[in-house]
Amino acid sequence: MISKLRHKDLLGIADLTPDEILLILETAEAMREIGERPIKKVPALRGKTVVNLFFEASTRTRTSFEIAEKRLSADTLNIAAGTSSVVKGETLVDTALNLEAMAPDMIVVRHAHSGACHMLSRICKAGIINAGDGMHEHPTQALLDAFTIREHKKRIAGLKVAIIGDLLHSRVLRSNVQLLTKLGAEVWASGPPTLMPPGIGREGVRTTTSVDEAVEGADVVMLLRMQLERMQGAFFPSLREYFSVFGMTHERLRRAKDDVIIMHPGPMNRGVEIDSDVADGPYSVILEQVANGVAVRMAVLYLLAGGAEHEAAA
Amino acid sequence: MKRLLKGGRVVDPANGRDGIFDVLIDDGRIARVGKGLSADGAQVVEIPAAFVITPGLFDMHVHLREPGQEHKETVATGTAAAVAGGFTAVACMPNTSPINDNAGVTEYILQKAAQANLARVYPIGAVSKGSNGDQLADIAELRAAGCVGISDDGRPVKTALLMRRALEYAGMFNLPVLEHCEEPSLKGEGVAHEGYYASTLGLRGIPGAAEAIMVQRDIALAEMTGAAVHICHMSAATSLRAVREGKNHGVRVTCEVAPHHFTLTDESLAAPVSYDTNMKMNPPLRASVDRDEMLKGIVDGSVDAIATDHAPHHYDEKKMEFDLAPFGIVGLETCISICFDRLVHPGHISLTRLVELLSTNPAKILNIAAGSLSEGAVADITLLAPDMAVVVDPAKFRSKARNTPFGGWQLKGGVAATIIGGRTVYVNEAAAGAEALR
């Protein structure tokens, strides 16, 4: 078993080896235990500065990172694009260089444009953690999804995972496809042809416009949000029609395995991609995903900051 | 003053010449081309056997950015880049600020070109006022001021009706319409070729069909009106198929391909550097089937010209998020080396064909008396060094801009010297023997 990651940054699952993914998931197991203690804090990142640089609104992800950083005793600060010099017309590069001048150890970045984190990683000595860049990747989401799946199924390899929804605009899809195929899952993607990313089949994903085919015998059903804000023009006739053709209902779920779990990265559009009965039903692990997000992000922060080796050297 | 270029290989498709000849230049014109010409009072320049003498290269698609965007390029820096790339003439697109849609802007550009006194500059005027696609620009006035064609480049001519009228009206003067083919609704907010790589990187796609649809529209209109349409910077296999079919039916359609579209593919979006904004241009780097088809068209003759679409941008503008960086790359100073290395040396095309693509045909398409070494013609001559080793170093560009995807490329073949009107305007110190041309 390896004990550290090869890169200073986490830009995407595409850059991780299967062993690195497993290392993060194993480390997250240990981190979760910290969250169950009466005093939820360890000194692992004491003296480290972590900047949460969010150019896009986010409640869940930013809060999750911040809690993870605080549980590891890092000094954290949050910069929301609306309150920074970005509104004064400063470029991303200049914003990054100014932050860099104050020597943070890590920068957690969310940005509306794909590739923004790659750009920052080339400029900054600080480790960059991608908290979602455009339609590209959202690696910590895929990691927490994998953590949640493993918790229930004890494995990833060989599972049938159906991902259904707005595939085209989804960074969660891209990270999950990378991760799940690397760990040997059978990934099915389903949605209207207008929302199917070109060339997705090259990643070893099976695509179908039939939700029933995707759900048939599935171990995991993951629903993706209709990202109405990223859609230009008509990708489907109406939300009502979308729900009638693709929406996840109890009726449709009958084709899945008896112990199927239902996942959603949030925020949910109830009655669009998922029926409330399903979202709140017995197979739903949606809130567990949120809980696990903290442990997984603690693991990523810890490993990127140098992990056990770093502590020994200090 | 008389000069005798003695003993180089002359490649001049317009006169069916390819062999060792002497070229006598007198008073800025080609006096004679022949074997063993007498020096008779002329300054004799011994041309190394490794050099090739061709009619001056002509880049029929560049952006000189002046007036209005002088931080990117000026007529002076753009034409300096041109002669360093072996080009004796360029045609510059009208998307300046203000747009070249009236004689005043045309005259301004020509005045700047005269001051720079380097490559010849042939302005392309706008099809429509402000290139807005609503009302025709004053095309007769643009022509009288010196424009050699019309285009709304940067965008397509907005409606089929306006394109029809432009073809009919400009056809009266035998002015070609040069079209940037792109169906706007299909392009949308796209920034890269729609396919696997854009999809994986989370970039919005521009499908090849966005180009092909407009190519097909314009060919149908050229057939209907009998006027000449020229397809700019063609990139998609489907577009080339339409051009071939148009040509087979006698439609007056010609097309150009840029060096990046017959060398690179959309794979360059991901590696060696992901999201490199020097890989962002419009039309985008396409799939390998498209790239291969452009190469095939260059070989089989269905592509008429190679043009760079030289699009200089300031360093700051390109140092942005991929979505926000402007489209375009520079090309004047890398074109000939890429053509040698990727087309001539691998045996895809002959030197004669190369000169057709880069000189004879562009002049023909724009109805300009250039692109030949005919006796009596203006002595615009390029001396090429086909075997010279070249390493692309953007820091040495004469262009103001450095936005090239070819930085660091090691190529075989380059420019030795550039002569305009009998006057040497560029000598490449790296080409052994070129010094004698000073």
Side-chain angles (χ1 to χ4, degrees):
Chain A
M1 188 75 192
I2 57 165
S3 64
K4 59 177 188 175
L5 302 175
R6 292 170 305 151
H7 302 294
K8 74 172 175 76
D9 312 301
L10 176 60
L11 303 179
I13 303 294
D15 304 322
L16 297 178
T17 63
D19 277 349
E20 287 179 310
I21 293 167
L22 291 172
L23 172 64
I24 295 169
L25 298 179
E26 303 285 337
T27 309
E29 296 284 355
M31 294 297 169
R32 182 170 56 178
E33 184 268 323
I34 294 168
E36 289 160 1
R37 296 178 193 172
I39 294 173
K40 303 179 178 62
K41 206 172 184 82
V42 293
L45 295 191
R46 194 172 57 197
K48 301 273 181 195
T49 309
V50 183
V51 176
N52 299 315
L53 181 58
F54 277 62
F55 293 93
E56 248 188 4
S58 157
T59 310
R60 193 184 339 260
T61 304
R62 193 187 54 70
T63 310
S64 177
F65 266 108
E66 200 179 343
I67 291 174
E69 290 151 10
K70 290 192 152 74
R71 286 190 182 164
L72 293 172
S73 304
D75 297 317
T76 73
L77 63 131
N78 297 316
I79 302 175
T83 61
S84 79
S85 48
V86 174
V87 290
K88 296 171 195 158
E90 190 176 57
T91 65
L92 176 60
V93 171
D94 282 336
T95 302
L97 287 173
N98 279 280
L99 278 178
E100 177 77 0
M102 294 180 259
D105 296 284
M106 269 182 286
I107 308 177
V108 178
V109 182
R110 168 164 289 191
H111 200 285
H113 294 296
S114 303
C117 298
H118 288 72
M119 214 174 134
L120 294 181
S121 78
R122 290 195 278 265
I123 298 167
C124 296
K125 285 200 276 297
I128 304 291
I129 299 176
N130 183 356
D133 65 323
M135 307 187 297
H136 174 231
E137 279 224 40
H138 190 355
T140 56
Q141 178 70 43
L143 288 162
L144 73 87
D145 290 343
F147 186 90
T148 308
I149 294 170
R150 278 202 348 159
E151 199 172 44
H152 285 268
K153 307 289 176 193
K154 310 300 171 210
R155 64 189 169 110
I156 302 276
L159 294 180
K160 177 173 179 179
V161 182
I163 307 179
I164 301 156
D166 177 357
L167 309 167
L168 183 65
H169 300 100
S170 177
R171 52 196 176 208
V172 176
L173 171 85
R174 286 170 178 79
S175 285
N176 261 305
V177 163
Q178 288 284 338
L179 191 151
L180 294 169
T181 54
K182 278 180 186 191
L183 294 191
E186 180 189 328
V187 182
W188 286 71
S190 182
T194 49
L195 289 172
M196 196 67 79
I200 187 178
R202 274 176 70 173
E203 304 282 7
V205 176
R206 297 188 215 185
T207 58
T208 175
T209 53
S210 158
V211 179
D212 288 346
E213 190 186 8
V215 171
E216 185 72 46
D219 299 283
V220 178
V221 171
M222 186 184 294
L223 302 159
L224 298 176
R225 191 169 64 91
M226 283 296 112
Q227 300 197 48
L228 303 171
E229 74 281 7
R230 282 185 211 275
M231 289 187 194
Q232 312 153 327
F235 286 88
F236 50 85
S238 66
L239 294 175
R240 188 172 150 272
E241 177 155 319
Y242 181 85
F243 181 72
S244 76
V245 183
F246 293 99
M248 192 50 56
T249 58
H250 271 306
E251 184 65 27
R252 289 207 162 106
L253 263 184
R254 288 206 187 115
R255 291 172 180 270
K257 289 225 175 91
D258 289 343
D259 62 347
V260 67
I261 56 171
I262 299 293
M263 306 180 79
H264 194 302
M268 279 186 282
N269 297 313
R270 289 172 182 263
V272 179
E273 66 265 5
I274 187 166
D275 198 9
S276 275
D277 285 353
V278 174
D280 305 330
Y283 348 87
S284 170
V285 297
I286 294 169
L287 292 174
E288 285 176 47
Q289 290 174 269
V290 178
N292 291 335
V294 175
V296 164
R297 288 174 178 123
M298 285 170 77
V300 167
L301 287 157
Y302 174 76
L303 289 167
L304 287 180
E309 286 194 7
H310 189 93
E311 272 177 20
Chain B
M1 196 195 86
K2 287 210 270 189
R3 274 216 285 186
L4 182 65
L5 310 185
K6 213 159 175 54
R9 177 178 170 189
V10 172
V11 177
D12 179 16
N15 290 294
R17 268 203 188 94
D18 180 359
I20 307 293
F21 293 97
D22 298 340
V23 178
L24 182 67
I25 303 168
D26 188 7
D27 198 23
R29 291 184 176 271
I30 308 282
R32 277 196 73 190
V33 179
K35 289 194 189 279
L37 297 186
S38 127
D40 188 26
Q43 177 207 354
V44 177
V45 184
E46 295 290 342
I47 303 296
F51 286 4
V52 173
I53 300 175
T54 73
L57 306 185
F58 192 154
D59 190 345
M60 65 181 298
H61 191 136
V62 305
H63 298 269
L64 296 180
R65 305 299 191 203
E66 199 175 2
Q69 298 170 317
E70 290 84 355
H71 64 291
K72 297 175 193 263
E73 191 83 287
T74 64
V75 173
T77 56
T79 52
V83 298
F87 292 102
T88 58
V90 296
C92 62
M93 285 296 169
N95 59 340
T96 47
S97 181
I99 300 270
N100 183 13
D101 63 359
N102 65 78
V105 178
T106 307
E107 283 160 9
Y108 180 84
I109 294 166
L110 289 173
Q111 185 196 330
K112 289 286 172 185
Q115 283 164 7
N117 200 19
L118 290 165
R120 297 180 198 278
V121 173
Y122 294 99
I124 305 294
V127 167
S128 61
K129 289 208 166 87
S131 285
N132 285 331
D134 297 323
Q135 191 186 349
L136 288 176
D138 292 335
I139 293 168
E141 183 188 294
L142 285 165
R143 176 174 173 268
C147 286
V148 296
I150 53 171
S151 177
D152 276 348
D153 188 49
R155 41 180 106 155
V157 175
K158 194 160 86 181
T159 64
L161 179 62
L162 190 78
M163 186 60 178
R164 174 197 177 164
R165 300 248 158 90
L167 285 164
E168 287 171 339
Y169 191 82
M172 152 169 81
F173 310 112
N174 207 23
L175 271 186
V177 181
L178 289 68
E179 174 77 310
H180 169 114
C181 290
E182 173 180 281
E183 207 290 309
S185 70
L186 270 181
K187 187 218 172 200
E189 298 293 310
V191 294
H193 174 63
E194 182 175 310
Y196 170 74
Y197 291 100
S199 171
T200 303
L201 293 169
L203 298 172
R204 291 183 194 274
I206 307 173
E211 177 181 281
I213 284 170
M214 206 56 102
V215 170
Q216 288 159 350
R217 176 193 88 171
D218 291 346
I219 288 173
L221 292 169
E223 180 168 10
M224 181 178 91
T225 58
V229 68
H230 175 77
I231 311 300
C232 295
H233 45 54
M234 196 173 59
S235 64
T238 323
S239 306
L240 182 55
R241 200 194 308 153
V243 168
R244 284 190 180 119
E245 197 190 286
K247 288 184 174 197
N248 287 341
H249 286 85
V251 180
R252 294 174 65 196
V253 55
T254 53
C255 65
E256 69 190 33
V257 172
H260 46 276
H261 285 132
F262 64 77
T263 50
L264 299 168
T265 67
D266 58 349
E267 197 176 348
S268 297
L269 297 168
V273 179
S274 50
Y275 302 100
D276 181 353
T277 57
N278 285 332
M279 299 296 170
K280 181 178 176 181
M281 66 289 285
N282 190 20
L285 298 177
R286 295 213 183 270
S288 54
V289 289
D290 297 300
R291 190 261 319 264
D292 295 349
E293 199 59 26
M294 294 306 108
L295 190 56
K296 217 179 283 175
I298 286 168
V299 173
D300 71 19
S302 41
V303 169
D304 298 275
I306 290 172
T308 67
D309 194 9
H310 179 79
H313 290 293
H314 193 274
Y315 171 80
D316 289 342
E317 295 167 320
K318 277 290 197 181
K319 209 173 163 187
M320 295 287 283
E321 295 87 326
F322 195 90
D323 285 340
L324 304 181
F327 290 105
I329 58 166
V330 291
L332 282 166
E333 292 170 84
T334 47
C335 178
I336 192 67
S337 296
I338 302 248
C339 289
F340 268 124
D341 197 85
R342 297 306 165 103
L343 299 177
V344 178
H345 292 313
H348 293 308
I349 62 169
S350 65
L351 267 173
T352 297
R353 175 80 180 128
L354 178 74
V355 175
E356 280 174 8
L357 288 159
L358 277 168
S359 177
T360 328
N361 291 351
K364 212 183 285 175
I365 291 163
L366 297 175
N367 306 306
I368 293 165
S372 88
L373 297 176
S374 304
E375 287 171 13
V378 170
D380 290 357
I381 300 170
T382 303
L383 282 93
L384 300 171
D387 297 322
M388 185 170 65
V390 171
V391 180
V392 177
D393 180 1
K396 292 191 177 144
F397 284 171
R398 280 151 176 83
S399 167
K400 266 195 185 180
R402 305 277 176 267
N403 51 315
T404 175
F406 300 117
W409 279 39
Q410 300 183 9
L411 301 164
K412 188 172 150 192
V415 179
T418 309
I419 296 172
I420 296 177
R423 181 175 59 99
T424 303
V425 293
Y426 173 74
V427 170
N428 185 353
E429 282 155 13
E435 271 304 312
L437 283 149
R438 273 208 200 280

